[in-house]
Protein backbone atom coordinates (compact mmCIF):
# COMPACT_ATOMS: atom_id res chain seq x y z
CA UNK A 1 0.00 0.00 0.00
CA UNK A 2 1.48 3.35 -1.01
CA UNK A 3 2.06 6.22 1.39
CA UNK A 4 -0.30 8.29 -0.76
CA UNK A 5 -2.99 5.65 -0.29
CA UNK A 6 -2.36 5.55 3.45
CA UNK A 7 -2.51 9.34 3.77
CA UNK A 8 -5.66 9.41 1.64
CA UNK A 9 -7.20 6.72 3.86
CA UNK A 10 -6.19 8.70 6.96
CA UNK A 11 -7.83 11.85 5.56
CA UNK A 12 -10.94 9.87 4.64
CA UNK A 13 -11.01 8.29 8.12
CA UNK A 14 -10.75 11.69 9.81
CA UNK A 15 -13.47 13.07 7.52
CA UNK A 16 -15.73 10.10 8.37
CA UNK A 17 -15.15 10.70 12.09
CA UNK A 18 -15.99 14.39 11.71
CA UNK A 19 -19.12 13.50 9.75
CA UNK A 20 -20.09 11.02 12.46
CA UNK A 21 -19.51 13.59 15.21
CA UNK A 22 -21.64 16.14 13.37
CA UNK A 23 -24.40 13.56 12.91
CA UNK A 24 -24.21 12.54 16.58
CA UNK A 25 -24.58 16.15 17.69
CA UNK A 26 -27.85 16.27 15.80
CA UNK A 27 -29.61 19.21 14.21
CA UNK A 28 -29.43 22.11 16.65
CA UNK A 29 -32.38 23.75 14.86
CA UNK A 30 -34.57 20.84 16.02
CA UNK A 31 -34.09 21.80 19.68
CA UNK A 32 -37.28 22.82 21.47
CA UNK A 33 -35.50 25.83 22.91
CA UNK A 34 -35.04 29.38 21.68
CA UNK A 35 -31.26 29.06 22.13
CA UNK A 36 -30.19 27.07 19.08
CA UNK A 37 -26.63 28.35 18.61
CA UNK A 38 -25.05 25.66 20.80
CA UNK A 39 -25.90 22.75 23.03
CA UNK A 40 -24.51 24.65 26.03
CA UNK A 41 -26.86 27.58 25.38
CA UNK A 42 -29.82 25.20 25.04
CA UNK A 43 -28.91 23.37 28.25
CA UNK A 44 -28.58 26.68 30.09
CA UNK A 45 -32.01 27.70 28.83
CA UNK A 46 -33.55 24.45 30.09
CA UNK A 47 -31.83 24.92 33.45
CA UNK A 48 -33.14 28.48 33.73
CA UNK A 49 -36.65 27.31 32.88
CA UNK A 50 -36.42 24.55 35.49
CA UNK A 51 -35.16 27.00 38.11
CA UNK A 52 -37.88 29.52 37.23
CA UNK A 53 -40.58 26.88 37.34
CA UNK A 54 -39.38 25.46 40.66
CA UNK A 55 -40.78 22.26 42.05
CA UNK A 56 -44.33 23.68 42.02
CA UNK A 57 -44.64 22.95 38.32
CA UNK A 58 -43.56 19.35 38.79
CA UNK A 59 -40.08 19.83 37.28
CA UNK A 60 -37.47 18.30 39.56
CA UNK A 61 -33.76 17.67 39.39
CA UNK A 62 -32.96 13.99 39.59
CA UNK A 63 -29.38 12.87 38.89
CA UNK A 64 -30.21 9.19 39.44
CA UNK A 65 -32.47 8.61 36.45
CA UNK A 66 -34.11 10.29 33.50
CA UNK A 67 -37.84 10.88 33.28
CA UNK A 68 -40.25 13.22 31.55
CA UNK A 69 -40.84 15.22 34.74
CA UNK A 70 -37.22 15.71 35.79
CA UNK A 71 -33.86 16.88 34.57
CA UNK A 72 -30.24 16.38 35.59
CA UNK A 73 -28.50 19.04 37.64
CA UNK A 74 -26.05 21.33 35.88
CA UNK A 75 -23.13 19.58 37.59
CA UNK A 76 -24.39 16.17 36.37
CA UNK A 77 -24.80 17.55 32.84
CA UNK A 78 -21.31 19.07 32.97
CA UNK A 79 -19.88 15.73 34.14
CA UNK A 80 -21.70 13.80 31.40
CA UNK A 81 -20.51 16.28 28.74
CA UNK A 82 -16.91 15.98 30.01
CA UNK A 83 -17.16 12.17 29.86
CA UNK A 84 -18.56 12.36 26.32
CA UNK A 85 -15.78 14.75 25.28
CA UNK A 86 -13.16 12.34 26.67
CA UNK A 87 -14.75 9.44 24.80
CA UNK A 88 -14.81 11.41 21.53
CA UNK A 89 -11.24 12.69 21.86
CA UNK A 90 -9.83 9.32 22.86
CA UNK A 91 -6.71 10.88 24.39
CA UNK A 92 -5.97 13.38 21.59
CA UNK A 93 -3.36 15.98 22.45
CA UNK A 94 -4.44 19.54 23.23
CA UNK A 95 -3.33 20.63 19.74
CA UNK A 96 -6.00 18.39 18.17
CA UNK A 97 -8.79 18.26 20.73
CA UNK A 98 -11.35 20.31 18.81
CA UNK A 99 -12.77 19.97 15.33
CA UNK A 100 -11.64 23.54 14.66
CA UNK A 101 -8.03 22.63 15.43
CA UNK A 102 -8.23 19.52 13.24
CA UNK A 103 -9.73 21.55 10.42
CA UNK A 104 -7.02 24.20 10.80
CA UNK A 105 -4.34 21.50 10.51
CA UNK A 106 -5.97 19.87 7.48
CA UNK A 107 -7.01 23.12 5.84
CA UNK A 108 -10.47 24.37 5.05
CA UNK A 109 -10.20 23.27 1.43
CA UNK A 110 -8.65 20.41 -0.47
CA UNK A 111 -5.62 22.42 -1.63
CA UNK A 112 -3.37 21.45 1.28
CA UNK A 113 -4.29 17.78 0.95
CA UNK A 114 -3.86 17.91 -2.84
CA UNK A 115 -0.42 19.52 -2.41
CA UNK A 116 0.54 16.87 0.13
CA UNK A 117 -0.63 14.07 -2.15
CA UNK A 118 1.26 15.61 -5.08
CA UNK A 119 4.41 15.82 -2.96
CA UNK A 120 3.97 12.21 -1.87
CA UNK A 121 3.35 11.19 -5.47
CA UNK A 122 6.68 12.76 -6.47
CA UNK A 123 8.66 10.35 -4.30
CA UNK A 124 10.60 7.30 -5.42
CA UNK A 125 8.76 4.06 -4.84
CA UNK A 126 10.59 0.85 -4.11
CA UNK A 127 7.40 -1.20 -4.50
CA UNK A 128 5.77 0.28 -7.61
CA UNK A 129 6.94 0.76 -11.16
CA UNK A 130 7.33 4.44 -12.01
CA UNK A 131 7.80 6.47 -15.18
CA UNK A 132 10.45 9.05 -14.36
CA UNK A 133 12.04 11.68 -16.58
CA UNK A 134 15.79 11.54 -17.08
CA UNK A 135 16.22 14.45 -14.66
CA UNK A 136 14.07 12.70 -12.03
CA UNK A 137 16.04 9.46 -12.47
CA UNK A 138 19.33 11.31 -12.09
CA UNK A 139 18.15 13.11 -8.94
CA UNK A 140 16.79 9.90 -7.40
CA UNK A 141 19.98 7.98 -8.13
CA UNK A 142 22.09 10.85 -6.79
CA UNK A 143 20.01 10.91 -3.59
CA UNK A 144 20.51 7.15 -3.21
CA UNK A 145 24.26 7.42 -3.90
CA UNK A 146 24.02 5.38 -7.11
CA UNK A 147 25.20 8.03 -9.54
CA UNK A 148 24.07 8.82 -13.09
CA UNK A 149 21.62 6.16 -14.37
CA UNK A 150 22.45 7.02 -17.97
CA UNK A 151 26.14 6.14 -17.59
CA UNK A 152 27.22 3.92 -20.47
CA UNK A 153 29.27 1.32 -18.61
CA UNK A 154 30.14 -0.50 -21.82
CA UNK A 155 31.69 2.70 -23.20
CA UNK A 156 33.56 3.24 -19.94
CA UNK A 157 34.82 -0.34 -20.04
CA UNK A 158 35.78 -0.04 -23.67
CA UNK A 159 37.64 3.25 -23.03
CA UNK A 160 39.40 1.81 -19.99
CA UNK A 161 40.76 -1.21 -21.85
CA UNK A 162 42.11 0.84 -24.78
Amino acid sequence: MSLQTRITELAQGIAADIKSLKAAQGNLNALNTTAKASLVAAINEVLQLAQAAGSSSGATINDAETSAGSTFSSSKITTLLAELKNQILGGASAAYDTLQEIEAKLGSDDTALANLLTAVGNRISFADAQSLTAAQQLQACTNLGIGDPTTDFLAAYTAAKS
Side-chain angles (χ1 to χ4, degrees):
M1 179 182 299
S2 72
L3 182 57
Q4 178 179 353
T5 301
R6 288 180 182 164
I7 291 172
T8 299
E9 288 178 354
L10 172 64
Q12 290 169 340
I14 290 170
D17 287 345
I18 290 171
K19 184 177 182 181
S20 175
L21 289 171
K22 285 184 176 182
Q25 127 185 333
N27 180 357
L28 295 178
N29 291 326
L31 289 170
N32 290 329
T33 61
T34 57
K36 298 182 186 301
S38 73
L39 292 175
V40 173
I43 291 168
N44 284 334
E45 182 180 336
V46 170
L47 180 59
Q48 288 171 355
L49 289 173
Q51 289 173 343
S55 59
S56 63
S57 67
T60 59
I61 294 177
N62 181 354
D63 287 345
E65 62 183 11
T66 58
S67 69
S70 67
T71 185
F72 289 143
S73 67
S74 61
S75 60
K76 173 77 172 188
I77 292 170
T78 302
T79 300
L80 290 173
L81 288 173
E83 289 172 5
L84 179 61
K85 178 182 176 186
N86 289 335
Q87 289 173 7
I88 291 170
L89 295 178
S93 69
Y96 300 101
D97 67 353
T98 68
L99 292 177
Q100 186 176 18
E101 290 166 342
I102 293 170
E103 179 186 21
K105 292 292 182 185
L106 293 177
S108 59
D109 61 11
D110 294 335
T111 304
L113 180 59
N115 290 341
L116 179 61
L117 292 176
T118 298
V120 169
N122 287 336
R123 299 296 183 246
I124 288 287
S125 172
F126 296 103
D128 302 315
Q130 291 178 290
S131 298
L132 302 174
T133 66
Q136 289 171 328
Q137 289 176 8
L138 177 59
Q139 185 63 57
C141 290
T142 301
N143 291 349
L144 294 172
I146 296 171
D148 186 349
T150 62
T151 301
D152 185 347
F153 292 106
L154 179 58
Y157 170 74
T158 303
K161 72 176 187 174
S162 308

